[in-house]
Amino acid sequence: MSAPEPAPETTSLPLVDVPPPTAEDVEPTDVNYDEAFYPARPRQVRPRARRNQQYGDAKPPFDPVGTNPAYVEWLRGQSMLGDAKTLSRQLSGQASMWQNPYARPNPRKAVNSASVWFTAYPISLITRPGQSFLAALGSPKLWEAFEQIGIQAVHTGPVKRAGGLDGWEYTPSVDGHFDRMSMAIDPLFGTEDEFRSMCEVAKDHGGTIIDDIVPGHTGKGADFRLAEMNYRDYPGLYHMVDIPESDWHLLPDVPPGQDSVNLDAAAERALQEAGYIIGELQRVIFYEPGVKETNWSVTRPVIDTTGQVRRWVYLHYFKDGQPSLNWLDPTFSGMRLVMGDALHSLLDLGTGALRLDANGFLGVEKGVEEAAGWSEGHPLSEAANQLIGSMVRKVGGFTFQELNLSIDDIHSTSSIGPDLSYDFVTRPGYHHALVTGDTEFLRLTLRQAQEIGVDQASLVHALQNHDELTYELVHFVTRHKDEVFELGGRSLTGAELAEQVQSTLRERITGEAAPYNLVFTTNGIACTTTSVITAALGIRDLDTITDDDVDRIRDAHLLLAMYNALQPGVFALSGWDLRGVLPLEHEQVKSLIAQGDTRWINRGAHDLAGSMSQTRMSGSGLPRARSLYASLPDQLADESSFAMRLSRILQIRDRHGIAAGTLLDVPDVSHPGLLVMVQRTATETLAVTVLNFSADEVDGTIRSEHLPDGARVTDAFSGEAVGRIDGAHELPMHLGAHRGTTLLVREAPDA
């Protein structure tokens, strides 16, 4: 469609207060807000339980071997399975365990309890001297700032003790604290009392705290060491197989100083042919030659509790320090451990919700004939997620999964498991739209989700988190790899489409175009939101950024925030977003990225409060990264700052019930840089979010069959009348570069 004559420009992201709603703005609604906006943590029906803390960290001076009862008993006191047993006995038979519906996921209930999240990463936050991470997140002043911006929940990230045990000694985490080995809070981040206080402060400001559980694996802590010793139910925790000494010749030697070694493909195949393991799986996550070539590793010789020497082969979808839990062992040890960890967070510490990490890899089965083992999309994963989600809902909380699945799998899990899913569907799409100035692929992903039946309100739409910019495009390279799609005037299979999008992102965001960003294995690109934007703006050297560049970066950053916030679902952002953080220089984290985990460049330390401007690293030792935006206190005193302009976006989101609305249409557009999302909000308003992803001003037309003839249109940000929908269901409009707005459409009264 040709562009119409320019129309008066709609005001997007005005630097004035959003006007209060008029009587004309407020329309009748059938929503019962007494039912919809309920407390996230209904204290009157919430049970309580405490884990066993009697053992502490005291280490008796005895040999740390399986034949030493004192060592075995010490390990039992450290174990998560032991704590799970203690917690479960306090909760069984309690009437308070039956006061909440739990069978079905309820995304809108979750969204209404907390729809704007701050996602923290413990090892990256710079705090005051002597102040722990949990004390910093529990600061009333910080929550006052969050409340002013519109943030309603904090996802703490992993704060429980992680890593492993080597004898009596703790070993460091191998995956940013996602290799949990205990229910105890890691002293590096604070105490359990500080965690409980943080939950209370959040509640006082109308918010809630979201914690993590890891249903797929643990670290190599007490539970894994007891499993190696063949102690009671502990081997049933893991996908691990005892290899008789007569077949140790099939196993590689473990190098000195290591407790295990990864199997190469030949050893994996030999053990499969010998009938010990199911062998190759559908993919090797974090594949790295010489480091991780298969999903299986073998332990060094270990003395068990009877004095017998054993070697085990165990499964790990991720790193070798993250042994995978077994959800279908006759002891059901894995299930008991995970449920105990969830209940500890919700009922002992006081959180309102949980993130499920690696929850799509809970079932594994031998493949047919020579086919790879079935490890993704397995029914056991669906059953396990239903159990976890039900248990959390049963005690008044909600869950979300952060797992890159096909759209079909997100749809199926949304009917049985977690209440919310991370939006890995359109996340690569909006980055692609920004770097190309063309929203065609983004519109394709949104429409795919609509066609399959994914409710946008069930998704967590996020800016940056601790991970890379994921561009695996699982939907297109797995179930739909042979399906034909139209993109850029060409017919492409799903696999071809994925490769084209990935190569475009690599070309525009890394290499010569942006050497400060790095590819992360086959998963995506290590970068910050800000460094995606600098790449899109053609800034090759971050040291050359000017004040004018910062203004352009902020505009594009707010555009991405509008995309994620002005549609149904949860909106999430991080401290890296609030401060406009750039990646670390590669040399600053040289040792951390040496084995291919380039994500450390996007995890730079930052200071929200701005009180530690001279501190060069976080308490965990991560170097401080460069921030383009001021501290939160300074931003909240500046109407033109990122945080204050973001707060106006969130006011519009809240006022018009966008978070719990329904996406109706993603129509074709008159300019490739435009994106139009038509939605019915929770207040029964018809709202149209219009975004310009191009670096040019655009005169264009919005058109949708959902736009009624003659309806009045006002700009939600300025309150100004824009015009009326004409007989062709169209409205002309003008948007500046990297700008956007939400239009409210009111049907004309009957003549």
Side-chain angles (χ1 to χ4, degrees):
M1 179 181 297
S2 61
E5 291 294 318
E9 180 172 358
T10 57
T11 305
S12 52
L13 294 180
L15 301 183
V16 295
D17 289 334
V18 176
T22 64
E24 192 176 40
D25 287 328
V26 180
E27 295 189 350
T29 175
D30 294 330
V31 176
N32 183 338
Y33 288 97
D34 288 336
E35 295 175 1
F37 295 97
Y38 62 95
R41 299 184 293 122
R43 297 173 62 86
Q44 69 275 17
V45 298
R46 198 154 201 197
R48 284 294 187 201
R50 285 288 173 97
R51 71 179 185 89
N52 187 359
Q53 302 178 67
Q54 72 182 76
Y55 289 95
D57 292 335
K59 304 174 182 64
F62 305 119
D63 290 337
V65 294
T67 52
N68 177 6
Y71 181 58
V72 172
E73 191 63 20
W74 180 78
L75 289 175
R76 285 185 61 199
Q78 304 293 315
S79 74
M80 290 188 284
L81 187 58
D83 276 341
K85 180 178 179 181
T86 299
L87 286 159
S88 64
R89 284 300 296 120
Q90 296 174 61
L91 297 168
S92 296
Q94 301 298 310
S96 55
M97 290 292 294
W98 297 96
Q99 303 305 310
N100 294 296
Y102 62 85
R104 296 182 178 87
N106 194 334
R108 279 175 173 74
K109 189 175 182 183
V111 166
N112 284 333
S113 64
S115 80
V116 179
W117 302 353
F118 174 82
T119 57
Y121 193 57
I123 59 181
S124 295
L125 187 67
I126 295 174
T127 63
R128 298 195 310 272
Q131 183 186 42
S132 71
F133 166 78
L134 293 175
L137 276 191
S139 163
K141 287 187 177 180
L142 180 63
W143 274 93
E144 288 169 8
F146 283 166
E147 199 169 10
Q148 185 174 347
I149 294 169
I151 294 169
Q152 302 157 337
V154 166
H155 174 209
T156 62
V159 296
K160 293 184 178 180
R161 182 164 256 159
L165 280 169
D166 185 6
W168 300 106
E169 302 303 320
Y170 293 108
T171 58
S173 169
V174 299
D175 189 28
H177 273 73
F178 286 103
D179 47 343
R180 176 169 299 169
M181 56 173 249
S182 172
M183 292 188 196
I185 299 297
D186 193 315
L188 181 66
F189 304 131
T191 67
E192 292 192 13
D193 285 341
E194 286 177 324
F195 197 114
R196 296 185 187 99
S197 175
M198 173 182 64
C199 292
E200 289 301 316
V201 171
K203 178 177 175 289
D204 291 343
H205 289 84
T208 193
I209 298 296
I210 303 170
D211 193 14
D212 289 82
I213 64 168
V214 188
H217 56 254
T218 70
K220 287 185 176 178
D223 296 274
F224 185 73
R225 298 308 177 198
L226 288 168
E228 286 183 315
M229 295 173 186
N230 200 35
Y231 182 72
R232 295 189 179 177
D233 290 350
Y234 285 84
L237 282 169
Y238 301 101
H239 286 287
M240 58 193 305
V241 178
D242 183 11
I243 308 298
E245 190 169 359
S246 59
D247 277 336
W248 283 8
H249 65 278
L250 300 175
L251 306 176
D253 293 331
V254 176
Q258 296 180 210
D259 64 358
S260 65
V261 66
N262 189 245
L263 300 182
D264 62 22
E268 177 187 60
R269 188 162 48 252
L271 287 165
Q272 179 183 11
E273 291 171 354
Y276 288 116
I277 63 175
I278 66 172
E280 180 185 3
L281 301 185
Q282 288 165 272
R283 59 174 167 154
V284 180
I285 300 173
F286 297 168
Y287 176 85
E288 188 72 21
V291 177
K292 188 189 178 189
E293 299 183 2
T294 72
N295 294 297
W296 301 91
S297 287
V298 59
T299 69
R300 63 192 174 191
V302 177
I303 300 173
D304 74 7
T305 56
T306 67
Q308 181 177 342
V309 179
R310 297 179 183 272
R311 294 192 74 187
W312 306 81
V313 172
Y314 67 93
L315 175 69
H316 54 95
Y317 286 110
F318 299 97
K319 299 183 180 181
D320 65 353
Q322 296 167 294
S324 294
L325 290 168
N326 184 353
W327 274 79
L328 202 57
D329 182 80
T331 65
F332 288 95
S333 300
M335 182 187 301
R336 289 156 51 203
L337 181 151
V338 172
M339 295 301 186
D341 196 19
L343 292 172
H344 169 247
S345 180
L346 293 158
L347 306 184
D348 187 348
L349 298 179
T351 61
L354 297 174
R355 169 189 179 265
L356 309 184
D357 182 61
N359 65 307
F361 304 100
L362 307 185
V364 61
E365 183 174 335
K366 184 178 177 62
V368 178
E369 297 179 351
E370 299 300 317
W374 187 7
S375 55
E376 298 182 40
H378 195 284
L380 180 56
S381 287
E382 296 180 359
N385 280 298
Q386 170 68 348
L387 288 169
I388 299 168
S390 292
M391 180 62 79
V392 172
R393 287 187 288 272
K394 197 173 186 183
V395 297
F398 67 86
T399 58
F400 80 99
Q401 63 180 3
E402 188 176 330
L403 187 65
N404 199 356
L405 301 170
S406 72
I407 301 173
D408 313 76
D409 288 335
I410 289 175
H411 179 252
S412 62
T413 58
S414 68
S415 64
I416 54 171
D419 299 280
L420 303 167
S421 296
Y422 215 76
D423 182 6
F424 287 118
V425 177
T426 72
R427 196 177 185 211
Y430 76 75
H431 289 110
H432 185 267
L434 183 69
V435 300
T436 63
D438 189 331
T439 66
E440 183 181 9
F441 176 63
L442 176 56
R443 284 179 274 124
L444 171 62
T445 60
L446 284 163
R447 289 168 181 168
Q448 280 280 292
Q450 277 190 300
E451 290 170 12
I452 291 170
V454 171
D455 180 0
Q456 290 296 111
S458 72
L459 298 178
V460 178
H461 311 288
L463 292 173
Q464 185 186 347
N465 67 3
H466 64 280
D467 274 329
E468 77 288 353
L469 187 170
T470 302
Y471 69 176
E472 287 178 291
L473 301 176
V474 171
H475 179 76
F476 297 100
V477 299
T478 56
R479 289 195 181 202
H480 301 271
K481 62 183 174 60
D482 298 319
E483 185 176 336
V484 176
F485 299 90
E486 297 295 322
L487 185 69
R490 299 173 58 202
S491 295
L492 302 169
T493 65
E496 292 169 339
L497 180 147
E499 175 54 34
Q500 177 174 310
V501 171
Q502 290 165 350
S503 63
T504 298
L505 290 172
R506 285 193 298 268
E507 177 186 340
R508 303 290 183 90
I509 303 179
T510 67
E512 282 296 313
Y516 39 83
N517 297 325
L518 290 173
V519 171
F520 171 63
T521 67
T522 59
N523 295 58
I525 297 170
C527 56
T528 66
T529 305
T530 311
S531 71
V532 172
I533 296 168
T534 55
L537 295 177
I539 299 172
R540 187 180 181 278
D541 185 350
L542 298 180
D543 290 334
T544 66
I545 293 175
T546 65
D547 289 344
D548 287 342
D549 289 332
V550 173
D551 290 341
R552 293 194 299 147
I553 291 166
R554 185 167 53 239
D555 285 347
H557 206 159
L558 288 161
L559 174 80
L560 300 186
M562 293 183 81
Y563 167 74
N564 286 287
L566 296 179
Q567 64 172 305
V570 166
F571 168 57
L573 77 164
S574 64
W576 297 297
D577 289 304
L578 286 174
R579 289 298 310 267
V581 175
L582 296 170
L584 292 165
E585 294 180 8
H586 306 167
E587 284 295 316
Q588 292 179 279
V589 283
K590 183 177 180 180
S591 63
L592 292 174
I593 67 177
Q595 291 189 325
D597 194 348
T598 56
R599 293 174 297 176
W600 292 103
I601 69 167
N602 57 249
R603 295 170 172 170
H606 52 280
D607 173 14
L608 290 177
S611 58
M612 301 300 296
S613 58
Q614 302 305 310
T615 302
R616 304 319 305 161
M617 62 178 55
S618 70
S620 301
L622 269 184
R624 187 187 192 113
R626 179 184 173 190
S627 298
L628 297 184
Y629 309 154
S631 67
L632 276 192
D634 288 345
Q635 285 195 61
L636 295 178
D638 177 4
E639 290 295 321
S640 66
S641 69
F642 176 82
M644 285 302 292
R645 292 170 69 183
L646 175 65
S647 73
R648 295 186 198 97
I649 296 171
L650 299 181
Q651 287 175 39
I652 295 300
R653 170 185 167 88
D654 181 61
R655 175 176 299 171
H656 298 289
I658 288 173
T662 301
L663 182 64
L664 302 176
D665 191 18
V666 183
D668 290 335
V669 291
S670 59
H671 184 283
L674 289 179
L675 176 73
V676 178
M677 295 183 289
V678 182
Q679 52 201 299
R680 179 72 65 182
T681 73
T683 58
E684 289 301 314
T685 300
L686 195 62
V688 183
T689 293
V690 191
L691 307 172
N692 177 15
F693 279 83
S694 78
D696 301 315
E697 294 187 8
V698 169
D699 289 298
T701 299
I702 59 173
R703 184 186 186 282
S704 172
E705 294 296 327
H706 292 271
L707 302 179
D709 179 17
R712 296 176 293 107
V713 181
T714 58
D715 188 296
F717 286 89
S718 67
E720 296 176 356
V722 174
R724 289 182 180 271
I725 304 298
D726 67 18
H729 308 283
E730 295 181 351
L731 178 76
M733 66 177 307
H734 176 90
L735 277 178
H738 294 149
R739 293 280 174 155
T741 193
T742 291
L743 306 175
L744 305 176
V745 180
R746 314 290 193 186
E747 292 193 42
D750 293 333

